[in-house]
């Protein structure tokens, strides 16, 4: 079982609805990352938190997503208004500070219809 | 252009054959990592290999930074090795994000 927990495993939303997915990083890890993977495509970096502060994110996240880590043991990624193109597997990863040892969760698979 | 290129995109082998997966990158890197992606989507770390050769059971990873390439060798393949293998580079020390290749889908036939 992954030490990074993601919920829910599956999420189905209508276009225009809001979506939210959660990630519990591995205990003691201070860095949290979100990636998006569309069907048969490479993982795409979305946002990176260090000690709960966002340090890097792509423009799409700034414009349409909401991502926070209210505590060291919980992060969430939200989509304000779902679009069909948001259908993808969303993977959360964590790592210790100063260490490239990444642990990935099992992902949340979002389908927007 | 894509910073990380994996080849081949797919590979079909008979059980017992060796597999060679390649990863080429067009940018400087701090580290190279190899992952196995399970059919459900989760990733399993196989190697953290910034340079040189590392071994783990039937798996061997070799990274040659000056040639901007990394390889994953699977010897005596088994049907359970089937799945998608991803390489990813980290450009700077603890810069956070990994840049992934598109993966090699490996199928091992019994």
């Amino acid at each position: 079982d992954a030490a990074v927990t993601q919920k829910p495993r599956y999420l189905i939303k209508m276009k225009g609805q809001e979506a939210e997915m959660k990630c519990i990083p591995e205990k003691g890890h201070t860095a949290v990352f979100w990636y998006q993977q569309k069907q048969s495509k490479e993982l795409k970096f979305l946002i990176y938190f260090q000690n709960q502060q966002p340090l890097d994110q792509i423009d799409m996240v700034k414009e349409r997503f909401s991502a926070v880590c209210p505590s060291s043991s919980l992060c969430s990624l939200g989509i304000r208004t779902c679009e069909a193109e948001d259908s993808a597997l969303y993977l959360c990863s964590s790592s210790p500070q100063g260490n490239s040892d990444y642990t990935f969760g099992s992902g949340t698979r979002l389908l927007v219809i | 252009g894509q910073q990380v290129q994996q080849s081949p995109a797919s590979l079909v082998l008979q059980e017992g054959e060796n597999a060679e997966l390649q990863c080429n990158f067009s940018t400087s890197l701090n580290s190279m990592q190899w992952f196995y992606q399970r059919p459900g989507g989760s990733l399993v770390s196989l190697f953290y290999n910034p340079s040189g050769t590392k071994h783990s059971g039937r798996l061997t990873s070799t990274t040659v930074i000056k040639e901007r390439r990394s390889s994953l060798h699977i010897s005596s393949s088994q049907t359970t090795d089937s799945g998608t293998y991803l390489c990813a580079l980290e450009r700077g020390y603890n810069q956070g994000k990994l840049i992934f290749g598109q993966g090699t889908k490996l199928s091992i036939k019994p």
Side-chain angles (χ1 to χ4, degrees):
Chain A
D1 288 342
V4 173
T5 303
Q6 290 190 247
K7 293 179 181 180
R9 284 300 309 276
Y10 302 95
L11 193 54
I12 300 176
K13 293 291 178 182
M14 303 285 287
K15 279 169 47 174
Q17 285 187 316
E18 184 178 5
E20 186 179 38
M21 54 202 89
K22 297 189 184 298
C23 171
I24 300 173
E26 185 168 338
K27 194 172 183 180
H29 285 190
T30 58
V32 175
F33 312 85
W34 287 95
Y35 293 88
Q36 178 195 62
Q37 186 181 34
K38 296 185 180 180
Q39 191 70 21
S40 302
K41 297 286 187 185
E42 69 272 18
L43 274 76
K44 176 181 177 182
F45 166 80
L46 295 178
I47 188 167
Y48 157 44
F49 290 85
Q50 181 66 261
N51 292 316
Q52 302 166 240
Q53 298 302 312
L55 294 190
D56 190 14
Q57 58 187 300
I58 64 172
D59 288 342
M60 180 181 75
V61 170
K62 293 177 193 173
E63 294 161 6
R64 298 182 49 245
F65 287 60
S66 58
V68 292
C69 290
S71 74
S72 61
S73 58
L74 179 66
C75 293
S76 68
L77 180 69
I79 305 174
R80 297 189 191 93
T81 307
C82 288
E83 300 176 1
E85 66 186 39
D86 298 326
S87 295
L89 177 69
Y90 290 83
L91 287 163
C92 176
S93 171
S94 69
S95 72
Q97 187 166 2
N99 189 314
S100 297
D101 183 13
Y102 300 95
T103 305
F104 280 79
S106 298
T108 292
R109 197 169 292 277
L110 170 66
L111 176 62
V112 181
I113 55 177
Chain B
Q2 199 161 351
Q3 298 180 68
V4 182
Q5 297 270 10
Q6 287 191 247
S7 61
S10 62
L11 183 61
V12 180
L13 297 172
Q14 288 296 129
E15 193 169 28
E17 291 185 313
N18 297 333
E20 188 82 15
L21 284 57
Q22 299 290 341
C23 182
N24 292 280
F25 41 94
S26 59
T27 185
S28 59
L29 84 163
N30 179 62
S31 71
M32 173 61 72
Q33 302 196 31
W34 284 92
F35 296 89
Y36 170 73
Q37 186 166 30
R38 295 190 179 110
S42 62
L43 271 66
V44 177
S45 178
L46 298 176
F47 288 104
Y48 167 75
N49 186 9
S51 67
T53 298
K54 293 195 172 184
H55 303 276
S56 177
R58 294 181 294 106
L59 305 181
T60 301
S61 169
T62 299
T63 298
V64 184
I65 292 178
K66 62 181 180 181
E67 295 180 12
R68 299 199 169 182
R69 63 174 176 86
S70 183
S71 64
L72 178 67
H73 181 87
I74 304 174
S75 62
S76 304
S77 62
Q78 300 173 0
T79 55
T80 52
D81 294 329
S82 297
T84 300
Y85 292 80
L86 303 172
C87 67
L89 69 85
E90 183 181 30
R91 290 187 61 184
Y93 177 71
N94 204 28
Q95 276 198 2
K97 63 184 177 185
L98 293 171
I99 303 171
F100 284 86
Q102 287 197 310
T104 293
K105 188 169 184 179
L106 178 65
S107 296
I108 307 296
K109 305 293 187 186

